Amino acid sequence: MGKISEHVFRVVNSASLAGWYKTVMGMQVTEDASAKTWTAFYPGEGVKLVFQEVASKGTTYKSNRDSCYWKIGVTVSDVDLARENIMAAGTQVSVPNQFLDVGYLCHLADPNGFTIELLQHTFKQNFVKPIPDPSLALGQRAVIGQITTRSQDIEASLGLYRDTLGMKLLSIQDISDYGFCLYFLAFTAENPPDQDLTSTKNREWLWQRPYTTLEIQCRPGQSCVPMDKEGEGVDHITMEVEDYANIMTKLKADQSNSSFPDPDGVQLKLKSASR
């Protein structure tokens, strides 16, 4: 089975940023001194965040609504508790709200400006407060549940991620009032509880998965700027895939580094899935 294995960022002060993810977000961190990288992650099946050190003289990262990259999502059972703990540690977090029939959520930025969404396992009206765990920074277990990118042409995106790389489409969420539609894919053998992928019944189930999904926000007609290749920013997303050799041949990608952009400029790197 394939998986989304690494989400790689180019950052200044990688050690300090990793320390923030450990102290404030409650992730485990490791250092690879020879590669000048730090890795942050929650135990389990979710993606690992990798911070590559770059020169401080480069461009500083700024979140851009026109970028092909948006955010990561951290899923928890109690968003209000997570927000309270993060703010107590000195980081500002927006006021949570039930966004339509999508989810109960709020947003913050890490010290380098990368956006994080906190997303609750259940809708606000279905929330049952769990027993907090004071040994954990967020007071509860957490998963990096989403990496969110943007697309102008969802059929081209699905042609790559679903039809070529082998990801499964789990949910389609039409947010036409705000001019976009959300598509969620993952490397998984699981099926959502309702075969109708537009059903709201699948959403709370989706927020409780132990693995990372790829969330694609499709905004037809709006610009989608490819990732920068220098300075601070998102470097690439690493995915492990089955049938690696045939996929690389089909994509006609550079097999010397296994790296290529998706149709909207999200840089990907492929590896062969471990068996």
Side-chain angles (χ1 to χ4, degrees):
M1 181 66 66
K3 68 177 180 179
I4 305 174
S5 56
E6 293 181 338
H7 186 2
V8 183
F9 300 81
R10 301 184 308 275
V11 301
V12 174
N13 297 324
S14 56
S16 176
L17 184 60
W20 181 87
Y21 275 92
K22 178 181 180 180
T23 303
V24 178
M25 299 302 295
M27 296 187 187
Q28 296 180 10
V29 299
T30 59
E31 180 187 12
D32 185 337
S34 61
K36 296 183 179 180
T37 63
W38 286 82
T39 299
F41 58 94
Y42 292 115
E45 302 175 44
V47 69
K48 294 183 176 181
L49 308 181
V50 179
F51 306 119
Q52 294 180 342
E53 186 72 28
V54 295
S56 59
K57 294 181 180 180
T59 57
T60 301
Y61 176 78
K62 292 183 179 180
S63 182
N64 181 353
R65 291 178 64 87
D66 291 331
S67 173
C68 63
Y69 174 79
W70 182 7
K71 61 178 173 64
I72 64 167
V74 173
T75 55
V76 293
S77 56
D78 187 344
V79 155
D80 289 327
L81 175 60
R83 176 179 183 265
E84 178 183 327
N85 287 9
I86 291 169
M87 292 189 67
T91 297
Q92 291 299 306
V93 186
S94 69
V95 176
N97 74 292
Q98 176 63 42
F99 179 63
L100 304 178
D101 53 8
V102 175
Y104 186 64
L105 53 86
C106 58
H107 296 93
L108 64 143
D110 73 16
N112 289 53
F114 296 100
T115 301
I116 301 170
E117 179 176 272
L118 297 178
L119 178 59
Q120 192 162 278
H121 291 165
T122 57
F123 295 164
K124 184 177 181 180
Q125 63 269 26
N126 297 331
F127 176 68
V128 176
K129 190 168 183 64
I131 299 173
D133 184 343
S135 70
L136 300 174
L138 299 183
Q140 60 204 296
R141 295 185 182 276
V143 172
I144 301 176
Q146 299 84 30
I147 297 175
T148 309
T149 64
R150 297 185 176 104
S151 173
Q152 296 182 91
D153 182 352
I154 193 58
E155 291 306 319
S157 295
L158 293 178
L160 172 64
Y161 292 108
R162 180 190 61 191
D163 302 336
T164 303
L165 301 186
M167 301 184 81
K168 180 180 289 186
L169 183 60
L170 297 175
S171 180
I172 301 172
Q173 303 182 16
D174 184 5
I175 320 295
S176 53
D177 288 350
Y178 288 80
F180 62 87
C181 188
L182 302 174
Y183 296 77
F184 294 83
L185 302 101
F187 292 104
T188 181
E190 289 190 309
N191 292 311
D194 194 322
Q195 292 184 357
D196 177 4
L197 299 186
T198 66
S199 173
T200 59
K201 297 177 182 178
N202 293 330
R203 297 177 186 179
E204 291 175 299
W205 171 86
L206 189 61
W207 310 149
Q208 297 173 45
R209 302 339 302 143
Y211 45 79
T212 304
T213 62
L214 177 67
E215 173 186 8
I216 303 176
Q217 182 193 57
C218 182
R219 309 176 303 167
Q222 297 191 39
S223 59
C224 207
V225 180
M227 290 178 176
D228 292 329
K229 295 185 178 180
E230 297 180 354
E232 283 196 309
V234 176
D235 194 76
H236 66 271
I237 298 168
T238 300
M239 296 184 173
E240 298 182 13
V241 296
E242 296 183 332
D243 203 17
Y244 168 82
N246 286 335
I247 288 174
M248 292 300 292
T249 299
K250 184 176 181 179
L251 291 172
K252 298 179 180 178
D254 181 1
Q255 298 197 29
S256 64
N257 61 12
S258 306
S259 182
F260 62 94
D262 83 353
D264 294 279
V266 176
Q267 197 69 22
L268 302 176
K269 186 171 184 177
L270 299 187
K271 293 183 177 180
S272 180
S274 301
R275 293 185 178 276

